[in-house]
Amino acid sequence: MYHILVVDDEARIRSIIKKYAEFEGHTVTEAGDGMEAVRLCRKQSFDMIIMDIMMPELDGFSACREIRKISDTPIIMLSARGEEYDKINGFETGIDDYVVKPFSAKELMLRIEAIMKRGAPRGNKMTEAAKPNVKVELDGGGLVADITARIVYIKGERIDMSPKEYDLFFYMLENRNIALSREKLLSAVWGYDFYGDARTLDTHIKLLRKSLGEYSKYIVTLRGVGYRFEGDVK
């Protein structure tokens, strides 16, 4: 099963998550703050990280940024607040999912399983094997997407996006000129029957459009349905 790092300054929350995770057969390591979490990630690898936002020493957002410098391990962020700003901030730092407290432990286990099943990138970046590149060009090469290597260039300059932005962008690109319902996007990109706030998809579309700049024109909103990526590729 999976080795999960649970990071929360509340021992009770860590205990609840550990109880359910171990029941599912997972191994759990605990950390009481963001600083401890970063230290642990520098020493060993984890399959999944569950991390609270508001913590002493180093908050969840800052800890996530530090961890992302060395690892692509999937991260689920926990927060007592559900404001869009917190979600956007979290996704921009590279988290894979966002859960608002109080949460269902069973739902959290389902989210973990869904992220792992879809093959989210994990482990130390320096140990990843080189992959062959498959490139797709739009607008005369102004927008270039290296799907296999998960790299996007705009006018020759490489841009950085969160893991979920890459997942969403490449899925829409590979299914271009097809109307994609919200349910289809959530199922394909998030990998599970979505629980909670469906505005998460809209938040990611907003972030993706921001990252694509002038090329956000290719993402068309289908009112009452979902979205479509329009454009002919080279």
Side-chain angles (χ1 to χ4, degrees):
M1 300 302 283
Y2 311 129
H3 186 186
I4 302 173
L5 174 61
V6 178
V7 190
D8 199 304
D9 60 324
E10 292 187 49
R12 181 180 62 85
I13 297 296
R14 298 199 307 270
S15 177
I16 292 173
I17 296 174
K18 182 177 181 179
K19 175 183 176 181
Y20 278 84
E22 290 184 339
F23 180 78
E24 296 291 334
H26 307 309
T27 300
V28 175
T29 296
E30 298 181 44
D33 59 65
M35 196 77 75
E36 184 180 1
V38 174
R39 285 197 297 266
L40 286 169
C41 288
R42 287 172 176 166
K43 293 180 179 178
Q44 59 183 303
S45 296
F46 297 95
D47 298 305
M48 170 68 64
I49 300 172
I50 301 173
M51 182 155 50
D52 188 30
I53 292 179
M54 302 302 294
M55 296 183 293
E57 301 294 337
L58 195 68
D59 65 83
F61 293 137
S62 300
C64 180
R65 292 188 186 96
E66 291 302 311
I67 291 170
R68 279 289 172 258
K69 293 178 182 179
I70 57 174
S71 172
D72 284 327
T73 300
I75 298 175
I76 295 178
M77 192 76 82
L78 303 177
S79 175
R81 304 188 305 178
E83 283 85 351
E84 185 179 36
Y85 169 80
D86 287 332
K87 293 183 179 181
I88 290 176
N89 197 10
F91 291 129
E92 285 182 331
T93 60
I95 70 169
D96 294 80
D97 208 346
Y98 188 103
V99 176
V100 179
K101 296 178 180 179
F103 57 87
S104 160
K106 181 175 179 58
E107 176 189 335
L108 182 60
M109 294 303 110
L110 289 173
R111 290 184 182 234
I112 291 171
E113 192 63 32
I115 290 173
M116 301 306 292
K117 279 185 176 179
R118 73 165 182 263
R122 70 196 69 144
N124 193 300
K125 293 182 178 180
M126 295 180 288
T127 62
E128 291 183 357
K131 301 176 183 178
N133 295 335
V134 177
K135 293 184 178 180
V136 174
E137 298 183 10
L138 297 94
D139 198 24
L143 175 61
V144 178
D146 189 330
I147 296 176
T148 308
R150 291 173 67 88
I151 298 174
V152 178
Y153 298 92
I154 291 182
K155 296 181 178 178
E157 182 178 346
R158 179 174 176 173
I159 64 171
D160 291 323
M161 296 192 290
S162 70
K164 192 61 66 187
E165 284 180 78
Y166 282 117
D167 291 341
L168 183 58
F169 175 58
F170 289 133
Y171 181 79
M172 295 183 74
L173 183 60
E174 292 171 338
N175 293 275
R176 56 191 175 276
N177 299 318
I178 298 175
L180 300 170
S181 68
R182 289 168 176 267
E183 292 76 16
K184 178 64 176 177
L185 285 168
L186 288 167
S187 175
V189 179
W190 274 257
Y192 55 86
D193 293 331
F194 190 68
Y195 296 88
D197 191 355
R199 289 179 300 176
T200 293
L201 173 59
D202 297 327
T203 299
H204 279 87
I205 290 290
K206 182 186 299 184
L207 290 170
L208 180 56
R209 282 173 166 158
K210 179 181 177 182
S211 295
L212 294 177
E214 64 182 275
Y215 297 105
S216 62
K217 63 186 179 182
Y218 290 117
I219 301 177
V220 178
T221 300
L222 305 177
R223 190 176 298 277
V225 178
Y227 299 93
R228 180 175 60 239
F229 189 94
E230 293 184 352
D232 296 323
V233 302
K234 181 177 176 181

